[in-house]
Amino acid sequence: MVAPTISTENLTRRFGDLVAVEEVNLRVAPGQFFGFLGPNGAGKSTTIKMLTGLLAPTSGRIQILGLDLVTNMVEVKRQIGVVPEGMALFGRLTGSEYLNFVGRMYGLDRETAAKRAAELLAFMQLTDQPRALVTDYSHGMQKKLALAAAVIHGPKVLFLDEPFEGVDAIAAGTLKTMLQRMIARGATIFLTSHVLEIVERLCTHVGIIHRGRLVAQGSVEELRAGV
């Protein structure tokens, strides 16, 4: 049996008296495009923040690539890419400067970082205004740049929090193409969304969260059949 790329055991997060995520047990196999589906406020963003080390769980255990997240935080972060809902970009840099910076932070040498940055900017169609600052990018352009930054080091696992929120059709098409390329290369993708259509079109497997509890998990075909 293949060990899961992402697994949680009774993952729980409380904010005072509010239980945002309650005893969630996830299993995401290598190479899966996993959609984490639920309405706004269901606990999706809280869960993905815990999975990426941005938020400590109240209780429970997380393993990424067979490594305990708490005790192997740095090693796990070297092997994952993250596009958080707020994107957290450095607005006073150009797109090229930002990608080069991120690549160097992931340990790429200067030449490799520059080469990959140029390739990603071209693929994402962000080369028309090379001197434009990130703060002057449109929302769709910022989403594309955030995804480019998340994949510049070739991560084994990619986490995306509502990546298509507020994105126009052209930018969405570019993002989808990049994600499909990542899957073709053997990466595992964990995507949150409150839009059923996005999950059905892109994902091979789905987990459904409601009021902090995981209420269903399986392949898209299994969930359609009501298994």
Side-chain angles (χ1 to χ4, degrees):
M1 185 175 180
V2 179
T5 296
I6 303 168
S7 67
T8 67
E9 182 179 341
N10 298 326
L11 185 63
T12 299
R13 176 67 199 201
R14 294 184 178 88
F15 296 96
D17 294 331
L18 173 65
V19 182
V21 175
E22 186 172 3
E23 297 186 350
V24 166
N25 294 291
L26 283 169
R27 297 290 183 274
V28 180
Q32 284 185 357
F33 199 142
F34 190 89
F36 199 48
L37 182 67
N40 291 328
K44 301 186 303 298
S45 290
T46 299
T47 300
I48 202 170
K49 285 176 182 176
M50 290 190 285
L51 293 177
T52 55
L54 297 174
L55 183 67
T58 303
S59 60
R61 187 182 182 198
I62 302 169
Q63 284 194 316
I64 308 292
L65 296 165
L67 300 171
D68 183 273
L69 182 61
V70 173
T71 56
N72 299 276
M73 183 75 74
V74 174
E75 180 58 30
V76 168
K77 287 191 174 184
R78 285 194 184 105
Q79 300 186 67
I80 69 173
V82 183
V83 180
E85 190 174 16
M87 293 185 284
L89 304 173
F90 292 172
R92 304 308 298 176
L93 299 178
T94 67
S96 178
E97 289 169 342
Y98 179 69
L99 289 185
N100 273 277
F101 169 76
V102 173
R104 296 289 284 157
M105 290 301 98
Y106 274 117
L108 302 180
D109 62 70
R110 195 177 301 277
E111 182 179 350
T112 301
K115 180 175 181 291
R116 291 189 185 178
E119 291 172 347
L120 286 165
L121 287 170
F123 179 82
M124 294 293 185
Q125 300 173 359
L126 295 173
T127 56
D128 289 347
Q129 298 177 338
R131 299 311 302 167
L133 299 180
V134 173
T135 191
D136 295 323
Y137 278 18
S138 69
H139 183 74
M141 292 169 67
Q142 289 185 358
K143 284 277 190 178
K144 291 193 288 186
L145 184 66
L147 179 56
V151 304
I152 193 169
H153 59 301
K156 295 179 180 178
V157 190
L158 184 61
F159 291 94
L160 308 164
D161 195 2
E162 299 279 4
F164 298 101
E165 188 76 17
V167 174
D168 63 64
I170 295 175
T174 303
L175 296 178
K176 289 175 183 176
T177 301
M178 173 59 77
L179 298 181
Q180 287 161 353
R181 288 191 177 190
M182 292 290 295
I183 289 293
R185 293 172 184 167
T188 302
I189 297 179
F190 185 99
L191 174 150
T192 75
S193 181
H194 63 274
V195 181
L196 177 61
E197 183 183 10
I198 289 174
V199 171
E200 281 190 311
R201 284 186 177 182
L202 288 176
C203 301
T204 58
H205 292 74
V206 180
I208 300 174
I209 188 170
H210 181 62
R211 295 181 179 177
R213 282 186 167 274
L214 188 67
V215 297
Q217 183 176 194
S219 70
V220 171
E221 291 75 16
E222 287 171 341
L223 294 185
R224 279 177 180 158
V227 176

